[in-house]
Amino acid sequence: MPLAEKGDLARRATTESILITIGILGGMGPGSTAPFLDRVYAECQSQYGASRDADYPHILLYSLPTPYEDGRDIDHGAMRAAIAGGVRRLALACVDFVAVPCSTAHRYFDEIRPHVGIPLMDMVAATVVKACEGATRVGVLATPETLAWGGYRAGLLKNGVEPVVLEAAQPLVDHVLARLTEGARPVDLADTWRSIVRLYRERGVERLIVGCTDLSAMIGLGAEAEFVDAAHILARISVAEYVRRRETSRA
């Protein structure tokens, strides 16, 4: 889009964004929440040329502590109730839609949608659409819980693409996730990350879904592959939805 047109969109956002508010339900995990917000701001710059403080959307972010512990079985009833409760609190604050940067949380969307009364952005479905473009085989990097749910797998298969999860690589993925959760610097885990990607490339898998938002921090650390970053996709579709709703409100 030409810069002049982006500038016009940004000026319109200044006067009209008060009508549209983005809700973000974060905290899953805590370290991925602030980087996701940064991605949303970057998408505002990219999609409609936001530059001044007043150009950006109204955003309400709720960091939600959930009953989830690595290495322990999930209490699905408690998780579903926590996520539904978080969405409801954002709805009470009058957000227009909610983005949840956590793949594991998406497994509960079909159950909670009828009860929360507000649209939920579907990160998993949008990521699958992007990953399937021109692909025949796509690797999935995610937590064991997300893999067990199978949302990415089902979406890829539905589109005729073979999902690949390597048993040899998963312990390394789990190690990176655990260390990131403990506060390790991504750069200190770069060698392990490169080993994960190398295992997939040796099996002929060149495109990888980064299906855990904590893993987004590892992209760009020297591993050569085509990554489809779920957090980036969610930021992109959330800002696109904001722009769509803002333009509709003007009609």
Side-chain angles (χ1 to χ4, degrees):
M1 179 182 296
L3 288 177
E5 291 183 25
K6 284 188 175 182
D8 183 55
L9 283 171
R11 284 190 293 274
R12 279 187 271 167
T14 300
T15 58
E16 297 158 9
S17 62
I18 193 169
L19 301 176
I20 308 298
T21 302
I22 300 173
I24 300 174
L25 186 63
M28 301 169 276
S32 65
T33 302
F36 176 72
L37 185 58
D38 287 339
R39 286 182 175 86
V40 171
Y41 291 146
E43 282 296 315
C44 293
Q45 295 164 1
S46 174
Q47 292 190 34
Y48 64 89
S51 60
R52 302 167 299 167
D53 290 358
D55 296 337
Y56 293 89
H58 290 256
I59 300 173
L60 292 180
L61 190 156
Y62 175 21
S63 185
L64 174 71
T66 58
Y68 172 84
E69 293 185 51
D70 288 332
R72 296 195 176 188
D73 291 340
I74 295 178
D75 182 336
H76 292 294
M79 279 290 290
R80 181 170 51 251
I83 293 165
V87 173
R88 288 193 192 99
R89 294 187 77 171
L90 285 168
L92 288 171
C94 297
V95 304
D96 290 272
F97 60 91
V98 175
V100 186
C102 172
S103 291
T104 300
H106 280 61
R107 73 178 298 162
Y108 308 107
F109 277 17
D110 287 345
E111 296 173 87
I112 71 175
R113 271 196 183 98
H115 308 290
V116 295
I118 193 168
L120 301 174
M121 302 305 295
D122 196 330
M123 175 177 74
V124 173
T127 300
V128 165
V129 169
K130 180 64 176 177
C132 287
E133 293 177 357
T136 57
R137 304 177 77 224
V138 173
V140 182
L141 306 179
T143 64
E145 293 77 15
T146 294
L147 296 174
W149 163 49
Y152 287 108
R153 173 183 174 81
L156 291 168
L157 288 172
K158 185 177 180 180
N159 286 276
V161 174
E162 178 188 355
V164 181
V165 177
L166 297 180
E167 290 186 10
Q170 192 59 39
L172 299 178
V173 175
D174 296 343
H175 172 74
V176 170
L177 284 168
R179 295 286 289 117
L180 288 172
T181 301
E182 293 166 1
R185 299 184 308 165
V187 68
D188 293 332
L189 301 167
D191 287 344
T192 305
W193 179 249
R194 285 190 286 266
S195 295
I196 293 167
V197 174
R198 184 167 57 250
L199 286 169
Y200 276 92
R201 293 195 66 188
E202 288 172 352
R203 297 292 185 91
V205 179
E206 298 285 345
R207 183 175 296 174
L208 295 167
I209 289 175
V210 180
C212 177
T213 51
D214 284 324
L215 288 175
S216 297
M218 302 304 300
I219 297 174
L221 291 178
E224 295 183 4
E226 182 183 352
F227 296 106
V228 181
D229 181 12
H232 182 196
I233 298 293
L234 180 60
R236 188 182 70 191
I237 65 173
S238 296
V239 174
E241 178 67 7
Y242 161 74
V243 171
R244 185 192 69 78
R245 287 171 176 264
R246 189 193 66 202
E247 293 301 308
T248 300
S249 72
R250 297 179 64 249

